[in-house]
Amino acid sequence: MAERDDHVNRKIVLTGAAGGIGTMTRPLLARLYPGLVLSDRVAPEALQPGERFTAADLTRPDEVAVLLEGAHSVIHLGGHSVEGTWEQILQANIIGCHTLFEAARQAGVQRIVFASSNHAVGFYLRRRKIRTDVTVRPDSRYGVSKAFGEALGALYADKHGIAVTCLRIGNVGPVPLDVRRLSIWISPEDLVQLFQIGLEHPDIRFEIFYGASDNEASWWDNSVARKLGYRPTGKAEDHRAHAEAEQRKIGPDPVGDLFQGGAFCSAEFTNDVKRAGP
Ligand code: 15L
């Protein structure tokens, strides 16, 4: 990628660095981006020698402004990462996300990779194969906040020219945790490949990719990412025996098992399943 040399050494901020995805991807990112600055409300445990850390609360514009001073790009993982009360989601994912995008605009940040989630489209039926341009069908307040983040990303891309990449991440980890995750799993290495495309590909304006490895049982058409060079190496099928063994420990979920978002769909569900989901 031609642009690589220009900004590979510049300041790249990783929010949510102490969270699950931040912890799994930090060491891989550190090898690619010497200017990486980690951020979270509190420092990650076991900060490695050479890792740089700046504390910031994403709901505090003053702290986020200091964090983004001189930054070229941001990988925005920070926020509440599962369903929560409206107040939790409002603070961490709605106000926090807006604070981040607005501070980025003011600081002259050129690229943002936003950790969206499969839960922005969680009410699609599992028998559907969906592209990235489908209407959002969130399965939770959390999913709504991710759809909001995608919309905010589109606004800052179109109005202010920030190159924004939204990743509808499935489930990140060394192996898929159950049968549902065979369709949505992504290895940390493949996720970092998607980060890299968002940070470096010269053609990015506003993009949505699915954060998934090369999964045979996938519900998602990720051809946009592939067109921009994504070549996932993880294959969920290699771990099917493990996922099925784990699944046997979980009881059936008559609502969640129909929809891509799983238990996020069945939680608080009061509808008739026939009326839910496209
Ligand atoms: C997510 O968006 C969550 O952050 C993660 O904790 C998992 O629940 C994942 O989705 C999933 O759908 O498995």
Side-chain angles (χ1 to χ4, degrees), residues 4 26 61 72 96 113 137 177 181 183 193 224 238 255 267 273:
R4 180 144 228 276
R26 249 163 64 206
H72 179 278
V113 177
R137 298 300 282 254
L177 297 172
R181 267 59 169 256
S183 299
Q193 208 190 121
V224 180
D238 293 349
V255 174
V273 280

Side-chain angles (χ1 to χ4, degrees), residues 62-217:
D62 52 339
E63 294 184 11
V64 182
V66 172
L67 172 66
L68 298 191
E69 227 170 59
H72 179 278
S73 307
V74 179
I75 303 172
H76 180 41
L77 307 181
H80 195 80
S81 66
V82 287
E83 179 61 313
T85 64
W86 173 243
E87 194 50 34
Q88 285 170 321
I89 297 292
L90 174 66
Q91 292 301 326
N93 292 10
I94 304 282
I95 296 175
C97 195
H98 178 260
T99 305
L100 187 281
F101 271 87
E102 182 51 21
R105 181 188 70 79
Q106 288 180 19
V109 165
Q110 292 177 35
R111 288 174 180 256
I112 297 177
V113 177
F114 168 60
S116 180
S117 165
N118 71 91
H119 297 290
V121 290
F123 260 119
Y124 280 92
L125 287 161
R126 292 189 184 189
R127 58 180 159 74
R128 295 274 311 264
K129 184 137 189 165
I130 56 172
R131 303 191 331 182
T132 48
D133 58 359
V134 291
T135 305
V136 290
R137 298 300 282 254
D139 57 21
S140 49
R141 292 174 288 278
Y142 168 70
V144 168
S145 74
K146 293 301 181 180
F148 170 82
E150 292 183 2
L152 207 55
L155 174 67
Y156 278 76
D158 287 331
K159 191 159 278 194
H160 306 297
I162 300 179
V164 176
T165 304
C166 300
L167 304 178
R168 288 185 184 154
I169 300 173
N171 189 250
V172 193
V175 292
L177 297 172
D178 53 27
V179 168
R180 173 175 166 267
R181 267 59 169 256
L182 288 172
S183 299
I184 68 164
W185 173 70
I186 182 164
S187 70
E189 290 76 12
D190 286 343
L191 184 60
V192 168
Q193 208 190 121
L194 290 173
F195 289 164
Q196 217 182 334
I197 293 170
L199 294 177
E200 298 184 40
H201 199 289
D203 298 339
I204 302 278
R205 289 166 64 182
F206 174 76
E207 302 295 343
I208 299 176
F209 305 149
Y210 286 109
S213 283
D214 183 15
N215 304 331
E216 240 171 70

Side-chain angles (χ1 to χ4, degrees), residues 33-84:
Y33 303 110
L36 189 69
V37 174
L38 310 176
S39 182
D40 213 306
R41 279 182 299 189
V42 288
E45 279 170 30
L47 211 58
Q48 298 301 302
E51 282 190 319
R52 288 196 284 158
F53 178 78
T54 305
D57 177 337
L58 291 170
T59 64
R60 298 279 311 265
D62 52 339
E63 294 184 11
V64 182
V66 172
L67 172 66
L68 298 191
E69 227 170 59
H72 179 278
S73 307
V74 179
I75 303 172
H76 180 41
L77 307 181
H80 195 80
S81 66
V82 287
E83 179 61 313

